[in-house]
Amino acid sequence: MNAVEEGDLIVRREGAAGVIRLNRPKAINAMTLEMSEGIDAALDRFEADPEVAVIILEGAGDRGLCAGGDIRGLWESSREGGDLGARFWRQEYIMNARIARYPKPYVAFMDGLVMGGGVGLSGHASHRIVTDRTKLAMPEVGLGFFPDVGGTWLLSRSPGEIGTYFGLTGQTMNGPDAIHAKFADAVVPAAKWPELRGALTRVGPAASPAEVSRLINSFATGDAAGPVAAKQAMIDALFGFDRMEDIVAALKRDGSEFALAALKTLNEKSPRGMVVTLKLLRLARTASSLEECLVREYRAALEVFRSDDFREGVRAAVIDKDRNPTWSPPRIEDVTLEMLAPYLAGIGADELKFN
């Protein structure tokens, strides 16, 4: 083993594997700007090292891979008129795109909680492993935000309206749900991970993606559809609209237990966040690349960072924890096209650019 850093991020080579371990277990490995920069540096190092055949991404502790970004730090910077949002998301989104095109097999172990920024680190990987303990979610609408880190790209490529449902409600996927939604590739019981991990460190120096897939599948359960998959037809009917008002009306008309539960969940979310999310999801359906979606997400994220809704959403969920945000505007029908426009507008010289 060759350890580089023993702080919030542990980077080392173990046999044929370049290991990246998020190491903030008390914060469920929430991502900071410095961690993101460290991952980039690790990817540089491992790409250049001929003895590294495969990358392993994992989280310290037993609670999850990563619960998202350092929301408290972003909230503080937003309140002070700072620029952490611009710097953090630029670094993060460029890294998300890099992970998607990384030249070596990149294995993400998505155990426990995998939320927000954790999805950005794992959902674009070449090999995405979920477990019997996985709880994956993109809950950003509850913070006055939207599913970013390429989330609009991933959600828009889920079957039918499954991505619309998960993106708007922020509901949690289990492992098989994540396979069905195309956020993951294989379910491996958490108890089998140490054995699989050991096998990954012993792959040949030129292991192909197909070889790595075969190795992972030899440990996998084969599960590919969770409880949400059984509701596919209902979700497609209820969430197959381009306006939030129409989705809400469909849920009210349906009146089933599932529809009323979804309606209750939506009523707790930011109206502005839901309208922005739905628009970005629909635009993502015709996007030609992940990068195109990330450019659009970066524009919208900068607008979110300036918004009262983001500060209020984080206050209610993370700071005061009263779970009682006061959204602006308070109703979906009050979100106008004029309010939506700045989230979609170009930002000139500040546009996100990829190497």
Side-chain angles (χ1 to χ4, degrees):
M1 297 183 187
N2 180 15
V4 169
E5 188 176 342
E6 296 282 341
D8 288 347
L9 193 69
I10 295 173
V11 175
R12 61 188 174 200
R13 183 168 64 80
E14 297 183 30
V19 176
I20 300 172
R21 181 180 300 142
L22 310 182
N23 194 39
R24 297 183 69 209
K26 290 182 180 178
I28 318 181
N29 303 313
M31 283 279 293
T32 64
L33 175 60
E34 292 74 23
M35 288 168 71
S36 182
E37 291 169 342
I39 292 170
D40 242 349
L43 292 175
D44 283 340
R45 174 193 165 199
F46 292 146
E47 186 173 346
D49 187 342
E51 295 189 31
V52 171
V54 61
I55 310 303
I56 295 175
L57 174 78
E58 59 188 5
D62 59 4
R63 296 169 68 196
L65 170 65
C66 176
D70 182 16
I71 292 294
R72 184 179 290 268
L74 289 165
W75 177 78
E76 290 172 353
S77 181
S78 176
R79 290 181 74 209
E80 296 163 2
D83 66 347
L84 180 59
R87 293 186 293 118
F88 179 81
W89 288 317
R90 180 178 293 276
Q91 162 64 31
E92 186 177 32
Y93 295 2
I94 291 171
M95 181 180 62
N96 298 148
R98 180 184 188 180
I99 289 168
R101 62 174 187 267
Y102 199 68
K104 296 182 179 183
Y106 178 117
V107 179
F109 182 54
M110 303 162 72
D111 189 36
L113 281 179
V114 185
M115 302 171 74
V119 174
L121 292 175
S122 57
H124 306 298
S126 60
H127 298 77
R128 304 168 298 178
I129 299 170
V130 285
T131 77
D132 48 313
R133 306 188 306 194
T134 294
K135 295 180 179 179
L136 188 153
M138 300 293 286
E140 290 83 358
V141 176
L143 299 176
F145 199 32
F146 61 88
D148 67 329
V149 295
T152 61
W153 169 260
L154 293 168
L155 289 164
S156 67
R157 274 142 189 83
S158 296
E161 300 298 337
I162 290 287
T164 309
Y165 167 73
F166 279 123
L168 291 174
T169 65
Q171 293 291 88
T172 300
M173 309 178 200
N174 67 7
D177 276 334
I179 302 283
H180 181 70
K182 299 186 178 180
F183 273 68
D185 306 301
V187 179
V188 174
K192 290 189 176 183
W193 171 241
E195 187 182 352
L196 172 54
R197 188 185 186 281
L200 287 167
T201 68
R202 297 188 296 272
V203 298
S208 69
E211 288 176 73
V212 174
S213 291
R214 283 194 292 273
L215 176 58
I216 292 169
N217 288 335
S218 71
F219 288 83
T221 64
D223 292 338
V228 172
K231 297 182 172 65
Q232 178 84 59
M234 182 184 294
I235 287 171
D236 289 352
L238 296 173
F239 286 83
F241 301 93
D242 296 337
R243 297 170 66 246
M244 278 306 307
E245 294 93 330
D246 295 333
I247 291 175
V248 168
L251 291 169
K252 288 179 178 177
R253 277 197 309 272
D254 183 90
S256 65
E257 184 180 349
F258 173 81
L260 293 177
L263 189 62
K264 180 177 184 295
T265 298
L266 294 181
N267 284 338
E268 298 166 356
K269 308 301 182 187
S270 159
R272 189 188 304 233
M274 287 188 287
V275 171
V276 170
T277 293
L278 185 59
K279 181 64 175 179
L280 290 174
L281 288 175
R282 294 300 182 249
L283 289 170
R285 282 190 169 166
T286 58
S288 60
S289 67
L290 167 62
E291 285 85 352
E292 181 182 334
C293 289
L294 287 166
V295 166
R296 203 176 282 127
E297 289 175 11
Y298 188 66
R299 294 171 181 170
L302 295 188
E303 188 64 25
V304 166
F305 194 66
R306 291 188 283 265
S307 74
D308 291 336
D309 255 20
F310 174 66
R311 290 187 286 272
E312 175 63 5
V314 176
R315 180 206 65 74
V318 179
I319 309 302
D320 297 337
K321 298 182 180 179
D322 60 22
R323 305 288 173 183
N324 188 30
T326 301
W327 300 119
S328 175
R331 303 185 310 158
I332 290 168
E333 50 268 40
D334 295 332
V335 182
T336 65
L337 290 176
E338 289 74 21
M339 289 178 189
L340 181 63
Y343 294 86
L344 307 174
I347 52 177
D350 292 327
E351 294 280 19
L352 194 67
K353 299 178 182 67
F354 304 92
N355 298 332

